[in-house]
Amino acid sequence: MQSGREPMRDADQAEIRLMGLILTQAVSIGIAIAIFDAEYWLKLDDPTVNGITYAMAAFAVQGVAYYLFKMFFQQGMDERARIATQEKQRRSRYRSMEMSFDRRRQDMEIRMQEAQLESELNWMEQHPGQTPPWIEQRMMGAGTGTADFVPKSSAPLSLGFDFDDGKKPNRNADGTFKKKDK
């Protein structure tokens, strides 16, 4: 399930950056014109020199604005983006782990049901012609199913892995392995 916000596409991010650049240039030119109109800075009679001077002023204002943006906002934005990416990766790993655990749990449940069915079949083979206890319990209304029936077996049920492979461990009395005979 995704949140209401989806990640922005690269084209959208590029468009936002371009609009930010245009806005910054417009503000810089506006500040330069305001300074010129208020006659706070040089006012020469030559319009070319005035234009170049105020273009340099607009560039300086834009440079200072860019520097302040990088100093105060960009680092925080990058940090938030990095944290968001890490959170997304964490959620993805968590979902993957949940799916893996669910698969393993389902596999174990199936193995348990197979083992229970195997034990019921073994009981039926050993007691031909008799009504199984779990059926009798259901007929009497006491039982809810085959889960109530626990077969009495001398050997443990194997769920696909056997610890006793018929080999005795080659160990000394202190638990260390014995040396191999050549």
Side-chain angles (χ1 to χ4, degrees), residues 1 5 8 10 26 55 94 109 117 129 132 135 182:
M1 177 179 219
R5 282 185 0 188
M8 293 178 60
D10 290 338
Y94 182 72
E109 288 174 359
L117 180 61
I135 300 292
K182 290 187 177 182

Side-chain angles (χ1 to χ4, degrees), residues 161-172:
F161 184 78
D162 193 10
F163 288 102
D164 185 25
D165 58 359
K167 295 180 183 175
K168 296 282 185 184
N170 221 3
R171 296 185 179 255
N172 295 322

